[in-house]
Amino acid sequence: RDVGMEGCKGLSTVGAKPTAEVLSEESPFLIGDAVTLFRSGVARCYYLSVERPDIPFGTKELCRMMSKPRECDMVVLKHLCRYLKAHPRLVQRIPSGVHPAWELQAYVDSDWAGCRYTRKSTNGGCMVLNGACLKTWSTTQAVRALSGVEAGYYAALKGASMALDFQSIALDLGEKVHIGLFTDSAAALGISGRRGLGEVRHLDTGYLWLQDAVVKKRVSAAKVKGQDNPADLGTTFLK
């Protein structure tokens, strides 16, 4: 309503890759009330993304534009509004029943060098506990991955660290949780299962703690098919 999209037609995608105009930075900056309108709209989307696992990636990209928003950025916000117009609600089904063994599944994915401005990659993931989705995330990697393999491994690190944190909370509540880490990157899975850098010699040794966690069976790493990986929602505009 605030951005004048109440009567708009819906879209099936959350957003789209930047156009040539956006990349050339020729689009004028927003001024005055338009800046406030853009930032408040993005803030609402961010609040909504906590319970909408289909929009974290699009919202994350919008959040990166909040410091100096341009007119083309408002177009991106309106694109997300049109998606929400077509998909006004999302139902999450939580299975009932008693589960003798708590299984926490962390699904991870990456979009190597997906940002056309900085060429940084994106971490996407979700945590599922016995069929119930607990958390989703979409974050820009702090370092520039030099290959898709490295980007996939960083995504696995993100998922494993968040799962281990949840496991610690569960232990405080008296529940023992087994962690399963799933990725569609066979190469990233290979790095996790061995010891040392191998051929990826530019990788910081500080990121090798996941190998130790796999060896000690604190984390069980496995492969999932790309088309079956729910973490893909956190790395792409496609629905």
Side-chain angles (χ1 to χ4, degrees), residues 190-213:
I191 297 176
S192 303
R194 66 171 182 240
R195 302 302 294 268
L197 293 172
E199 297 299 324
V200 195
R201 300 195 181 279
H202 56 272
L203 190 69
D204 192 327
T205 55
Y207 294 115
L208 297 180
W209 61 265
L210 178 57
Q211 295 180 346
D212 188 60

Side-chain angles (χ1 to χ4, degrees), residues 155-172:
L157 284 170
K158 175 78 172 181
S161 63
M162 297 188 74
L164 288 169
D165 182 55
F166 183 88
Q167 184 185 58
S168 178
I169 295 174
L171 284 174
D172 290 340

